[in-house]
Protein backbone atom coordinates (compact mmCIF):
# COMPACT_ATOMS: atom_id res chain seq x y z
CA UNK A 1 0.00 0.00 0.00
CA UNK A 2 1.50 3.34 -1.00
CA UNK A 3 1.33 6.57 0.94
CA UNK A 4 -2.24 7.79 1.33
CA UNK A 5 -3.89 11.02 2.33
CA UNK A 6 -6.77 10.71 4.77
CA UNK A 7 -8.89 12.99 2.57
CA UNK A 8 -10.88 11.53 -0.32
CA UNK A 9 -14.28 11.00 -1.92
CA UNK A 10 -15.90 8.42 -4.22
CA UNK A 11 -19.39 7.43 -5.37
CA UNK A 12 -21.02 4.78 -7.56
CA UNK A 13 -24.48 3.51 -8.51
CA UNK A 14 -26.08 0.26 -9.58
CA UNK A 15 -29.55 -1.18 -10.27
CA UNK A 16 -31.07 -3.80 -7.96
CA UNK A 17 -33.81 -6.21 -8.94
CA UNK A 18 -36.99 -6.14 -6.83
CA UNK A 19 -38.45 -9.44 -7.93
CA UNK A 20 -40.38 -8.65 -11.10
CA UNK A 21 -38.58 -8.40 -14.41
CA UNK A 22 -39.78 -4.84 -14.96
CA UNK A 23 -39.14 -3.67 -11.41
CA UNK A 24 -35.90 -2.37 -9.95
CA UNK A 25 -34.30 0.04 -7.54
CA UNK A 26 -31.35 2.39 -7.82
CA UNK A 27 -28.67 1.95 -5.17
CA UNK A 28 -26.10 4.71 -4.78
CA UNK A 29 -23.13 4.69 -2.41
CA UNK A 30 -21.07 7.73 -1.41
CA UNK A 31 -17.96 7.49 0.73
CA UNK A 32 -15.81 10.32 2.02
CA UNK A 33 -12.95 10.55 4.50
CA UNK A 34 -11.12 13.28 6.40
CA UNK A 35 -8.18 13.21 8.79
CA UNK A 36 -8.44 11.61 12.22
CA UNK A 37 -5.98 10.09 14.70
CA UNK A 38 -7.66 6.69 14.40
CA UNK A 39 -10.09 4.88 12.09
CA UNK A 40 -13.60 6.20 12.75
CA UNK A 41 -16.29 4.72 10.46
CA UNK A 42 -19.92 5.90 10.39
CA UNK A 43 -22.87 4.90 8.19
CA UNK A 44 -26.05 6.51 6.89
CA UNK A 45 -28.04 3.61 5.48
CA UNK A 46 -31.76 3.11 4.77
CA UNK A 47 -33.50 0.44 6.83
CA UNK A 48 -33.42 -1.99 3.89
CA UNK A 49 -29.59 -2.02 4.00
CA UNK A 50 -28.90 -2.02 7.75
CA UNK A 51 -28.08 -5.73 7.71
CA UNK A 52 -25.06 -5.05 5.47
CA UNK A 53 -23.39 -2.57 7.83
CA UNK A 54 -21.06 -5.12 9.57
CA UNK A 55 -19.78 -6.47 6.25
CA UNK A 56 -19.26 -2.95 4.87
CA UNK A 57 -17.42 -1.92 8.06
CA UNK A 58 -15.09 -4.91 7.72
CA UNK A 59 -14.51 -4.08 4.05
CA UNK A 60 -13.48 -0.52 4.90
CA UNK A 61 -11.19 -1.69 7.71
CA UNK A 62 -9.34 -3.99 5.32
CA UNK A 63 -8.26 -1.09 3.12
CA UNK A 64 -8.17 1.98 5.39
CA UNK A 65 -6.26 2.26 8.67
CA UNK A 66 -6.73 5.90 9.69
CA UNK A 67 -9.27 8.63 9.04
CA UNK A 68 -12.88 9.59 9.73
CA UNK A 69 -14.85 7.70 7.08
CA UNK A 70 -18.55 8.17 6.31
CA UNK A 71 -20.51 5.87 3.98
CA UNK A 72 -23.93 6.98 2.74
CA UNK A 73 -26.41 4.88 0.78
CA UNK A 74 -29.36 6.08 -1.31
CA UNK A 75 -32.06 3.61 -2.31
CA UNK A 76 -35.05 4.51 -4.46
CA UNK A 77 -37.40 2.81 -6.89
CA UNK A 78 -36.29 3.00 -10.51
CA UNK A 79 -39.80 4.20 -11.48
CA UNK A 80 -39.99 6.82 -8.75
CA UNK A 81 -41.97 9.17 -11.04
CA UNK A 82 -44.89 6.71 -11.14
CA UNK A 83 -47.31 6.92 -8.19
CA UNK A 84 -48.57 3.56 -6.96
CA UNK A 85 -52.38 3.18 -7.11
CA UNK A 86 -53.70 2.02 -3.70
CA UNK A 87 -56.46 -0.59 -3.76
CA UNK A 88 -59.88 -0.08 -2.20
CA UNK A 89 -59.28 -2.55 0.63
CA UNK A 90 -56.30 -0.52 1.79
CA UNK A 91 -58.29 2.72 1.55
CA UNK A 92 -61.12 1.27 3.65
CA UNK A 93 -58.57 0.06 6.20
CA UNK A 94 -57.01 3.53 6.45
CA UNK A 95 -60.46 5.11 6.81
CA UNK A 96 -61.40 2.76 9.68
CA UNK A 97 -58.11 3.51 11.45
CA UNK A 98 -58.66 7.25 11.01
CA UNK A 99 -62.18 7.06 12.44
CA UNK A 100 -60.95 4.97 15.39
CA UNK A 101 -58.24 7.51 16.18
CA UNK A 102 -60.57 10.52 15.85
CA UNK A 103 -63.15 8.87 18.13
CA UNK A 104 -60.67 9.33 20.95
CA UNK A 105 -58.55 12.18 19.64
CA UNK A 106 -61.16 14.57 18.29
CA UNK A 107 -58.60 17.16 17.18
CA UNK A 108 -56.57 14.68 15.09
CA UNK A 109 -55.90 15.95 11.55
CA UNK A 110 -57.56 14.12 8.68
CA UNK A 111 -55.35 12.14 6.31
CA UNK A 112 -54.37 13.98 3.15
CA UNK A 113 -53.96 12.41 -0.29
CA UNK A 114 -50.17 12.60 0.17
CA UNK A 115 -50.49 10.78 3.52
CA UNK A 116 -52.55 8.02 1.94
CA UNK A 117 -50.04 7.55 -0.90
CA UNK A 118 -47.14 7.47 1.54
CA UNK A 119 -48.82 4.93 3.84
CA UNK A 120 -49.82 2.72 0.92
CA UNK A 121 -46.32 2.73 -0.60
CA UNK A 122 -44.78 -0.74 -0.51
CA UNK A 123 -41.35 -1.02 1.10
CA UNK A 124 -38.32 -1.68 -1.08
CA UNK A 125 -37.31 -4.74 0.92
CA UNK A 126 -36.51 -7.37 -1.73
CA UNK A 127 -37.49 -10.97 -1.65
CA UNK A 128 -34.01 -12.06 -2.75
CA UNK A 129 -30.64 -11.51 -1.09
CA UNK A 130 -28.91 -8.22 -2.01
CA UNK A 131 -25.60 -9.04 -0.36
CA UNK A 132 -23.77 -9.67 -3.66
CA UNK A 133 -24.57 -6.40 -5.46
CA UNK A 134 -24.29 -4.30 -2.29
CA UNK A 135 -20.84 -5.64 -1.42
CA UNK A 136 -19.71 -5.40 -5.05
CA UNK A 137 -20.69 -1.73 -5.14
CA UNK A 138 -19.10 -1.23 -1.71
CA UNK A 139 -15.84 -2.74 -2.97
CA UNK A 140 -15.95 -0.42 -5.97
CA UNK A 141 -16.39 2.81 -3.98
CA UNK A 142 -13.79 1.81 -1.35
CA UNK A 143 -11.31 1.05 -4.15
CA UNK A 144 -12.04 4.41 -5.78
CA UNK A 145 -11.62 6.15 -2.42
CA UNK A 146 -8.23 4.49 -1.85
CA UNK A 147 -7.11 5.55 -5.33
CA UNK A 148 -8.16 9.14 -4.61
CA UNK A 149 -6.35 9.05 -1.25
CA UNK A 150 -3.21 7.68 -2.93
CA UNK A 151 -3.21 10.43 -5.55
CA UNK A 152 -3.56 13.04 -2.84
CA UNK A 153 -0.91 11.26 -0.74
CA UNK A 154 1.63 11.43 -3.58
CA UNK A 155 0.94 15.12 -4.01
CA UNK A 156 1.40 15.75 -0.28
CA UNK A 157 4.61 13.70 -0.25
CA UNK A 158 6.05 15.75 -3.09
CA UNK A 159 5.09 18.96 -1.33
CA UNK A 160 6.70 17.76 1.92
CA UNK A 161 9.90 16.82 0.11
CA UNK A 162 10.10 20.29 -1.45
CA UNK A 163 9.63 21.98 1.92
CA UNK A 164 12.19 19.65 3.50
CA UNK A 165 14.68 20.70 0.82
CA UNK A 166 13.98 24.35 1.64
CA UNK A 167 14.68 23.60 5.30
CA UNK A 168 17.94 21.90 4.31
CA UNK A 169 18.98 25.09 2.50
CA UNK A 170 18.20 27.16 5.61
CA UNK A 171 20.16 24.73 7.80
CA UNK A 172 23.13 24.98 5.42
CA UNK A 173 22.93 28.78 5.72
CA UNK A 174 22.79 28.60 9.52
CA UNK A 175 25.76 26.29 10.04
CA UNK A 176 28.49 28.76 8.91
CA UNK A 177 26.99 31.39 11.24
CA UNK A 178 27.53 29.26 14.34
CA UNK A 179 31.21 30.17 15.06
CA UNK A 180 30.47 33.86 14.54
CA UNK A 181 27.47 33.64 16.89
CA UNK A 182 29.49 31.88 19.58
CA UNK A 183 32.31 34.42 19.39
CA UNK A 184 29.80 37.30 19.51
CA UNK A 185 28.26 35.90 22.67
CA UNK A 186 31.68 35.42 24.24
CA UNK A 187 32.73 38.99 23.47
CA UNK A 188 29.48 40.36 24.90
CA UNK A 189 30.07 38.50 28.13
CA UNK A 190 33.65 39.78 28.44
CA UNK A 191 32.55 43.36 27.75
CA UNK A 192 29.98 43.19 30.50
CA UNK A 193 32.59 41.69 32.79
CA UNK A 194 35.00 44.55 32.07
CA UNK A 195 32.23 47.08 32.71
CA UNK A 196 31.56 45.42 36.05
CA UNK A 197 35.27 45.42 36.93
CA UNK A 198 35.47 49.13 36.14
CA UNK A 199 33.12 49.80 39.01
CA UNK A 200 35.41 48.11 41.51
CA UNK A 201 39.12 47.92 42.15
CA UNK A 202 40.11 45.17 39.74
CA UNK A 203 43.67 45.09 41.15
CA UNK A 204 42.29 44.09 44.56
CA UNK A 205 40.52 41.03 43.17
CA UNK A 206 42.37 37.70 43.33
CA UNK A 207 43.62 36.02 40.18
CA UNK A 208 41.05 33.24 40.61
CA UNK A 209 38.23 35.73 39.95
CA UNK A 210 39.69 36.62 36.54
CA UNK A 211 40.11 32.93 35.71
CA UNK A 212 36.52 32.32 36.76
CA UNK A 213 35.39 35.10 34.44
CA UNK A 214 37.14 33.51 31.46
CA UNK A 215 35.64 30.12 32.36
CA UNK A 216 32.15 31.63 32.58
CA UNK A 217 32.65 33.31 29.23
CA UNK A 218 33.60 29.99 27.65
CA UNK A 219 30.68 28.22 29.32
CA UNK A 220 28.25 30.92 28.16
CA UNK A 221 29.55 30.57 24.62
CA UNK A 222 29.04 26.80 24.72
CA UNK A 223 25.44 27.26 25.89
CA UNK A 224 24.90 29.67 23.01
CA UNK A 225 26.35 27.22 20.48
CA UNK A 226 23.53 26.11 18.14
CA UNK A 227 25.62 23.74 16.04
CA UNK A 228 24.08 20.72 17.77
CA UNK A 229 20.54 21.94 17.06
CA UNK A 230 21.37 22.54 13.39
CA UNK A 231 22.94 19.09 13.11
CA UNK A 232 19.92 17.38 14.71
CA UNK A 233 17.58 19.36 12.48
CA UNK A 234 19.42 18.18 9.37
CA UNK A 235 19.30 14.60 10.68
CA UNK A 236 15.52 14.81 11.16
CA UNK A 237 15.13 16.20 7.64
CA UNK A 238 17.13 13.29 6.21
CA UNK A 239 14.90 10.88 8.13
CA UNK A 240 11.72 12.56 6.84
CA UNK A 241 12.96 12.34 3.25
CA UNK A 242 13.87 8.67 3.74
CA UNK A 243 10.45 7.75 5.13
CA UNK A 244 8.65 9.67 2.42
CA UNK A 245 10.57 7.78 -0.25
CA UNK A 246 9.87 4.44 1.48
CA UNK A 247 6.19 5.17 1.96
CA UNK A 248 5.69 5.64 -1.77
CA UNK A 249 5.98 1.86 -2.00
CA UNK A 250 4.91 0.74 1.49
CA UNK A 251 2.16 1.35 4.02
CA UNK A 252 1.69 4.96 5.17
CA UNK A 253 3.78 6.33 8.02
CA UNK A 254 1.81 9.42 8.98
CA UNK A 255 2.27 8.97 12.75
CA UNK A 256 6.06 8.61 12.42
CA UNK A 257 6.28 11.70 10.23
CA UNK A 258 4.14 13.61 12.71
CA UNK A 259 6.64 12.78 15.46
CA UNK A 260 9.57 13.92 13.31
CA UNK A 261 7.80 17.21 12.57
CA UNK A 262 7.45 17.78 16.32
CA UNK A 263 11.20 17.23 16.72
CA UNK A 264 11.89 19.68 13.89
CA UNK A 265 9.77 22.31 15.60
CA UNK A 266 11.62 21.79 18.89
CA UNK A 267 15.03 22.25 17.27
CA UNK A 268 13.90 25.36 15.39
CA UNK A 269 12.53 26.87 18.61
CA UNK A 270 15.78 26.19 20.46
CA UNK A 271 17.74 27.65 17.58
CA UNK A 272 15.76 30.88 17.81
CA UNK A 273 15.88 31.15 21.60
CA UNK A 274 19.67 30.65 21.79
CA UNK A 275 20.54 32.87 18.85
CA UNK A 276 21.83 36.42 19.37
CA UNK A 277 22.56 37.20 15.71
CA UNK A 278 19.77 38.74 13.67
CA UNK A 279 20.65 36.51 10.68
CA UNK A 280 20.19 33.37 12.78
CA UNK A 281 16.90 34.66 14.20
CA UNK A 282 15.54 35.24 10.70
CA UNK A 283 16.58 31.74 9.67
CA UNK A 284 14.82 30.31 12.73
CA UNK A 285 11.59 32.17 11.89
CA UNK A 286 11.70 31.00 8.28
CA UNK A 287 12.22 27.45 9.50
CA UNK A 288 9.23 27.58 11.83
CA UNK A 289 6.97 28.84 9.04
CA UNK A 290 7.99 25.92 6.80
CA UNK A 291 7.69 23.40 9.64
CA UNK A 292 4.19 24.59 10.49
CA UNK A 293 3.20 24.16 6.84
CA UNK A 294 4.65 20.64 6.89
CA UNK A 295 2.76 19.85 10.11
CA UNK A 296 -0.56 20.70 8.44
CA UNK A 297 0.30 18.45 5.49
CA UNK A 298 1.50 15.52 7.62
CA UNK A 299 -1.71 15.55 9.68
CA UNK A 300 -3.56 14.58 6.48
CA UNK A 301 -1.38 11.51 5.85
CA UNK A 302 -2.45 8.01 6.89
Amino acid sequence: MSLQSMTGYASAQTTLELGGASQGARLGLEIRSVNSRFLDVSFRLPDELRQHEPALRELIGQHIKRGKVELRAHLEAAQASTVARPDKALLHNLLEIQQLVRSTMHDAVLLSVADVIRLSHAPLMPSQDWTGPVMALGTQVVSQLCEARQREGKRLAQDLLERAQQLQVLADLALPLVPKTVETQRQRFLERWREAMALVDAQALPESVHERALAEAASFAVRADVAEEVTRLKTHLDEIARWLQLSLHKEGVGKRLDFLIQELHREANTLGSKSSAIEMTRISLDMKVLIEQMREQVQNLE
Side-chain angles (χ1 to χ4, degrees), residues 184 186-197:
T184 300
R186 180 176 175 276
Q187 291 299 326
R188 285 183 180 178
F189 181 88
L190 290 175
E191 288 174 4
R192 292 177 182 175
W193 174 260
R194 294 189 187 100
E195 291 173 359
M197 290 299 97

Side-chain angles (χ1 to χ4, degrees), residues 106-126:
H106 304 290
D107 296 332
V109 180
L110 293 173
L111 290 173
S112 66
V113 175
D115 294 332
V116 172
I117 293 175
R118 177 175 53 82
L119 292 172
S120 62
H121 178 65
L124 289 175
M125 183 67 69

Side-chain angles (χ1 to χ4, degrees), residues 15-25 78-79 127-128:
T15 300
L16 302 174
E17 294 183 359
L18 293 180
S22 61
Q23 294 181 334
Q79 298 179 350
S127 58
Q128 68 269 34

Side-chain angles (χ1 to χ4, degrees), residues 64-277:
I64 298 175
K65 304 305 178 185
R66 289 181 65 197
K68 182 177 178 60
V69 182
E70 181 184 64
L71 178 66
R72 294 187 180 190
H74 309 279
L75 187 62
E76 61 182 14
Q79 298 179 350
S81 59
T82 302
V83 178
R85 182 183 182 91
D87 56 32
K88 290 186 178 181
L90 176 61
L91 293 176
H92 285 302
N93 188 27
L94 290 175
L95 180 59
E96 291 177 1
I97 294 174
Q98 176 178 260
Q99 292 173 346
L100 177 62
V101 171
R102 286 177 58 81
S103 65
T104 305
M105 303 172 62
H106 304 290
D107 296 332
V109 180
L110 293 173
L111 290 173
S112 66
V113 175
D115 294 332
V116 172
I117 293 175
R118 177 175 53 82
L119 292 172
S120 62
H121 178 65
L124 289 175
M125 183 67 69
S127 58
Q128 68 269 34
D129 186 9
W130 275 354
T131 301
V134 169
M135 294 309 298
L137 192 64
T139 301
Q140 180 181 341
V141 294
V142 170
S143 177
Q144 291 176 357
L145 177 67
C146 290
E147 291 174 0
R149 284 161 56 108
Q150 288 173 10
R151 288 193 299 268
E152 179 67 10
K154 290 180 180 179
R155 189 190 67 79
L156 290 178
Q158 185 60 38
D159 186 75
L160 285 169
L161 285 172
E162 292 175 359
R163 296 184 191 278
Q165 291 171 359
Q166 296 176 33
L167 281 172
Q168 286 280 13
V169 172
L170 291 174
D172 292 337
L173 292 175
L175 205 53
L177 298 176
V178 173
K180 178 182 177 181
T181 303
V182 173
E183 182 59 26
T184 300
Q185 293 289 69
R186 180 176 175 276
Q187 291 299 326
R188 285 183 180 178
F189 181 88
L190 290 175
E191 288 174 4
R192 292 177 182 175
W193 174 260
R194 294 189 187 100
E195 291 173 359
M197 290 299 97
L199 300 177
V200 298
D201 186 3
Q203 300 296 329
L205 295 175
E207 185 66 23
S208 60
V209 175
H210 294 278
E211 294 177 355
R212 178 64 183 273
L214 293 175
E216 287 293 333
S219 176
F220 186 78
V222 169
R223 291 195 299 271
D225 189 355
V226 294
E228 184 177 353
E229 283 75 16
V230 175
T231 301
R232 282 202 297 263
L233 192 143
K234 290 172 68 68
T235 301
H236 295 327
L237 288 173
D238 291 339
E239 190 71 1
I240 287 174
R242 187 176 75 87
W243 278 103
L244 283 173
Q245 294 291 348
L246 285 176
S247 62
L248 292 176
H249 308 286
K250 295 184 179 181
E251 187 175 348
V253 289
K255 290 184 178 180
R256 183 180 293 272
L257 290 175
D258 190 40
F259 171 76
L260 289 171
I261 293 296
Q262 293 179 22
E263 293 300 307
L264 280 181
H265 196 270
R266 182 184 322 216
E267 302 302 340
N269 269 336
T270 306
L271 183 67
S273 63
K274 292 174 67 173
S275 173
S276 60

Side-chain angles (χ1 to χ4, degrees), residues 40-81:
D40 180 11
V41 183
S42 61
F43 294 89
R44 293 192 178 184
L45 306 177
D47 293 338
E48 293 86 354
L49 301 179
R50 288 292 180 189
Q51 59 180 320
H52 302 293
E53 181 175 324
L56 290 170
R57 184 181 298 275
E58 182 179 356
L59 173 66
I60 293 172
Q62 291 173 353
H63 295 84
I64 298 175
K65 304 305 178 185
R66 289 181 65 197
K68 182 177 178 60
V69 182
E70 181 184 64
L71 178 66
R72 294 187 180 190
H74 309 279
L75 187 62
E76 61 182 14
Q79 298 179 350
S81 59

